[in-house]
Amino acid sequence: MPLTIEKKCIEKGVKLTDQRKIIAKVMSESNDHPNVDELYNRVSKIDSKISIATVYRTVKLFEESGILAKHDFKGGKARYEELNEGHHDHLIDVKTGEIIEFVDNEIEELQKKVAEKYGYELVDHKLELYGVKKKS
Amino acid sequence: MPLTIEKKCIEKGVKLTDQRKIIAKVMSESNDHPNVDELYNRVSKIDSKISIATVYRTVKLFEESGILAKHDFKGGKARYEELNEGHHDHLIDVKTGEIIEFVDNEIEELQKKVAEKYGYELVDHKLELYGVKKKS
DNA sequence: GTAGATGCAAAGTATTTGCGACAAG
DNA sequence: CTTGTCGCAAATACTTTGCATCTAC
């Protein structure tokens, strides 16, 4: 079975180069939210000739094609993750940087309502919670 | 009556230089969310000798002192606004870039609950809604 | 008087781009 | 074949910093 990302590329008419296949594979297998540097490192282990410029170009392309989601969490570098059906938001441990994904439909609904209240249709949103682990 | 920002500086033991007073004044009078460039332009009209390095240093200092809030909305540059009692989130018009401030206590409460559910104490959060204006 | 602030220009980061060589459809 | 991609290095955009000078307290 081909990777979901590859399937999406074909659907969107995105040319499937070797480099893109590798980046797709690495992203599919990543359960975290790598930034471009991290992604570049992982990709380099498979093909050391891939340049970081290609990684930047590819994540941008994948983002525009709805294949990856880009996040600008606090701390500078953009982070990416594969975009699946299930939308989710993030809870970030401010001490360790650990990222927990969560879904809360109640909040989602309320967001739509807020946008509507101001005469807007919600097209996107970003919700990040920053917390510290409680003892015990 | 002195500016709220100046009062806060004194409370926090932040030295009140002429440059900081000007930046404080400009931010107090701004009803939008200027980025550093915009702020620098406004500040330059009052004192053309202020350097952009000072503006960067000052907004960072003010942010750390709880005087300004920094936002990394989509589109690269960080934007700042004065931090008052009333916390609020942002609804951003994706076509015009217009920013609407809103408060929704129900969402705030749910956020706390979500964090607790995962064993975290919420210390900060970011909620941005992106929308398009509805016809009618 | 002294610790801390400023201006300037140089240095960092993160990301983008021009260009000739190359590969997918 | 032809259009789009790649690798490289140079360029850009935003932000930070070293240092000598200056200023608030």
Side-chain angles (χ1 to χ4, degrees):
Chain A
M1 56 167 207
L3 283 170
T4 314
I5 294 183
E6 294 194 9
K7 220 184 290 175
K8 283 190 186 171
C9 284
I10 295 164
E11 280 168 26
K12 312 258 175 178
V14 166
K15 209 179 263 186
L16 262 177
T17 65
D18 288 347
Q19 293 87 335
R20 288 180 186 169
K21 281 184 201 161
I22 293 173
I23 293 169
K25 181 170 150 57
V26 170
M27 281 306 300
S28 293
E29 292 171 352
S30 294
N31 293 312
D32 53 351
H33 304 66
N35 59 38
V36 173
D37 259 333
E38 291 163 349
L39 179 54
Y40 173 62
N41 286 334
R42 293 175 199 178
V43 156
S44 296
K45 282 182 193 149
I46 300 175
D47 178 352
S48 62
K49 294 183 313 304
I50 292 182
S51 85
I52 194 152
T54 297
V55 178
Y56 270 107
R57 279 192 275 239
T58 302
V59 291
K60 196 177 196 181
L61 173 71
F62 281 2
E63 191 206 346
E64 286 162 358
S65 306
I67 294 171
L68 295 181
K70 178 184 184 183
H71 302 293
D72 296 288
F73 297 140
K74 295 189 179 184
K77 315 191 190 182
R79 296 186 165 276
Y80 291 85
E81 71 177 319
E82 189 175 355
L83 204 53
N84 298 314
E85 302 62 29
H87 159 80
H88 59 256
D89 291 304
H90 299 91
L91 166 58
I92 298 132
D93 187 316
V94 295
K95 296 238 172 85
T96 67
E98 190 192 349
I99 298 172
I100 295 164
E101 301 179 349
F102 71 88
V103 180
D104 190 300
N105 291 109
E106 226 177 318
I107 292 181
E108 304 276 319
E109 278 309 311
L110 285 171
Q111 289 178 359
K112 263 185 230 162
K113 264 195 215 159
V114 168
E116 265 161 32
K117 186 168 131 194
Y118 289 95
Y120 281 82
E121 188 190 331
L122 196 62
V123 296
D124 192 13
H125 76 251
K126 180 195 285 189
L127 173 60
E128 291 157 24
L129 305 183
Y130 295 87
V132 290
K133 208 168 264 174
K134 283 187 182 172
K135 327 232 176 229
S136 99
Chain B
M1 59 167 205
L3 284 170
T4 314
I5 295 183
E6 294 194 8
K7 219 184 291 176
K8 283 190 187 170
C9 283
I10 296 164
E11 280 169 27
K12 313 257 175 179
V14 167
K15 211 179 263 188
L16 262 176
T17 66
D18 288 347
Q19 293 88 334
R20 289 180 184 170
K21 281 184 200 162
I22 293 173
I23 293 169
K25 182 170 151 55
V26 169
M27 282 305 300
S28 293
E29 291 171 353
S30 295
N31 294 311
D32 53 351
H33 304 66
N35 59 39
V36 172
D37 258 333
E38 291 164 348
L39 179 55
Y40 173 62
N41 286 335
R42 294 177 199 177
V43 155
S44 295
K45 282 182 194 148
I46 299 175
D47 179 351
S48 62
K49 296 184 311 305
I50 292 181
S51 84
I52 195 153
T54 297
V55 177
Y56 271 107
R57 278 192 275 236
T58 303
V59 291
K60 194 176 197 182
L61 173 71
F62 281 2
E63 192 207 346
E64 286 163 355
S65 306
I67 293 171
L68 295 181
K70 178 184 184 182
H71 302 293
D72 296 288
F73 298 140
K74 295 189 179 186
K77 314 190 192 182
R79 296 186 165 276
Y80 290 85
E81 72 177 319
E82 190 176 354
L83 204 54
N84 297 313
E85 304 61 30
H87 159 79
H88 60 256
D89 291 304
H90 300 91
L91 166 59
I92 297 133
D93 187 317
V94 293
K95 295 239 171 83
T96 66
E98 190 192 348
I99 298 171
I100 295 163
E101 301 178 349
F102 71 87
V103 180
D104 191 299
N105 292 108
E106 226 177 320
I107 292 181
E108 305 276 320
E109 278 309 311
L110 286 171
Q111 289 178 359
K112 261 184 235 163
K113 265 196 213 155
V114 169
E116 264 160 32
K117 185 169 133 193
Y118 290 94
Y120 280 82
E121 187 190 333
L122 195 63
V123 296
D124 192 12
H125 76 251
K126 179 197 286 191
L127 172 60
E128 291 158 24
L129 305 182
Y130 295 86
V132 290
K133 209 169 263 174
K134 281 187 182 171
K135 329 236 177 222
S136 100

